[in-house]
Structures are given as C-alpha cells and as structure tokens.
Amino acid sequence: AVPGGLGPDHGYGPDIHHVLLSEQQIQDKITELAAQVARDYAGREVLLVGVLKGAVLFMSDFARALQLPTQMEFMAVSSYGSSTSSSGVVRILKDLDRDISDRHVLVLEDIIDSGLTLSWLLKNLGSRRPASLEVCALLRKPDAIKVEVPVRYVGFDIPNEFVVGYGLDYAERYRDLPYIGTLKPEVYSD
Ligand code: XMP
Ligand code: MG
C-alpha cells in the first residue's frame, strides 16, 4: 500500500512518485460536481457521454452521485501523436450508439491537456444538434492549454505533469488505481 493510508493500490505503489489527489478528495469533488449539475439540470434528463477509456471510472462514480435520471453513452477517440501528448488530429474508434439530437448532452472527460481532443469532440457532437452540450472534466492542466474550450464544470486544475490513476493510464496500466498520482521517472525508461 502507499504510505499514508491511501487504501488499496493494486500493487502499483512502488511505481508511484507522489499522490496528487487521494481517493477521498476525488470522491468529495464528484459529490460536489454532481450536486451542481443536479441543480443546473433539474427537471431535465441528462445524457452523459463518456470518453473512453479514461472517463470510465469518473462516469461510474459521477452517474451514481448525480441525483437525476441519466442515460449513458460512450465514445472512443484516438488522437494521433505520442502516447503522452496529442496532436489534435482525431479519429473515431467507437461512435455513440444513439442519436443525440434534442438531448441534453454532458460530456465527461478525464482530463483536458492541450484541449485539442475536446475541441474536436465538441465540434463533432455539436453538429449532431443536441438541445444542449456541456463538458464536465475531472482534471484540467491550465498550463498545457493550446486551444480554449468552453468547459462548464471542472474538478481540479493540476500542474502540467503526466498523471495516472482513476482511469488515466500509462501504456494501459494504472487505470484501476483509486487515486491520481505521478510516476517515478524510472517507470518511463524501463
Ligand atoms: P488533449 O491534449 O487533447 O489530451 O487535451 C486529452 C487526452 O490526452 C490524454 N492525457 C493524459 N493521459 N495522463 C494520462 O494518462 C495525463 O497526464 C494526460 N494528459 C493528457 C488523455 O487521454 C486525454 O483524454
Ligand atoms: Mg491514455
């Protein structure tokens, strides 16, 4: 386990440099975001669109915390570029299963880094004529922003460093961590 009683770490503890956001901090923030969204969308049915795979844990906890009837859709996109940065050239790997026209769409994103992926996604979803389209991102790196994207709800602004856990991966690992942290440099070089 990670020192400081952070709970189960699935054996990843030795790879973690430091914990940025504990499981408790994340869950408290989700409760807060869900309360805000519930107020803003009162009386409406929300269609949550999760961006795979990073937003899966967020979607699961957020949907349970949100005291509104919601439906869930998922989209998978891949941005050309290296594994730790994006280029803004996006390809749809898995599209939504349903039409979103006239629906109140709330996109759930794990993290906004350059903003390029989200900017593309909002244009794409916006062209499908939803009744409304907003974004809820758990994390945002203000210092990495290359393109401004209108994000209505943000969990945490974090420093411009690569983070893993709570859905976020490095080479597909660490998504299952309940907290968010950084990796020791030697993990990248191994
Ligand atoms: P852009 O730059 O388009 O990137 O806003 C968004 C996508 O890039 C990935 N990303 C990360 N993944 N730790 C990760 O595990 C990070 O620190 C990180 N920063 C960006 C992520 O897939 C996100 O959706
Ligand atoms: Mg990734």
Side-chain angles (χ1 to χ4, degrees):
V2 161
L6 284 157
D9 67 9
H10 304 212
Y12 295 133
D15 293 352
I16 303 300
H17 184 264
H18 69 275
V19 175
L20 202 65
L21 298 164
S22 70
E23 178 171 14
Q24 191 63 52
Q25 284 176 293
I26 296 168
Q27 295 302 328
D28 287 351
K29 185 62 77 177
I30 288 173
T31 304
E32 212 182 286
L33 288 171
Q36 218 181 323
V37 169
R39 277 195 304 275
D40 295 351
Y41 287 81
R44 284 181 281 174
E45 196 173 69
V46 186
L47 179 65
L48 301 176
V49 170
V51 184
L52 295 172
K53 303 172 199 168
V56 163
L57 274 72
F58 184 35
M59 168 73 97
S60 158
D61 287 334
F62 184 84
R64 275 178 289 192
L66 185 60
Q67 294 299 311
L68 284 180
T70 58
Q71 295 177 10
M72 296 181 217
E73 282 291 322
F74 292 94
M75 196 159 166
V77 297
S78 129
S79 124
Y80 293 97
S82 72
S83 64
T84 55
S85 77
S86 81
S87 60
V89 183
V90 176
R91 182 165 56 111
I92 297 178
L93 301 178
K94 183 220 170 293
D95 206 344
L96 304 175
D97 294 333
R98 296 171 183 281
D99 184 14
I100 59 166
S101 61
D102 302 321
R103 304 295 310 270
H104 294 286
V105 173
L106 182 61
V107 177
L108 296 189
E109 258 281 31
D110 51 355
I111 189 166
I112 302 171
D113 191 298
S114 68
L116 291 166
T117 306
L118 190 57
S119 162
W120 181 91
L121 196 62
L122 287 178
K123 261 183 225 137
N124 182 288
L125 295 177
S127 72
R128 308 184 198 196
R129 305 276 167 237
S132 67
L133 178 62
E134 300 289 351
V135 179
C136 178
L138 183 63
L139 307 174
R140 179 174 60 185
K141 295 179 181 172
D143 298 336
I145 291 290
K146 285 186 192 154
V147 32
E148 283 304 325
V149 260
V151 182
R152 179 106 175 246
Y153 310 96
V154 179
F156 304 93
D157 277 324
I158 63 167
N160 192 7
E161 45 185 3
F162 195 77
V163 294
V164 297
Y166 199 71
L168 293 155
D169 74 304
Y170 171 63
E172 294 301 326
R173 304 183 75 214
Y174 311 106
R175 291 191 200 276
D176 45 340
L177 269 177
Y179 56 83
I180 290 168
T182 61
L183 291 171
K184 290 178 183 164
E186 57 265 32
V187 176
Y188 298 107
S189 44
D190 286 352

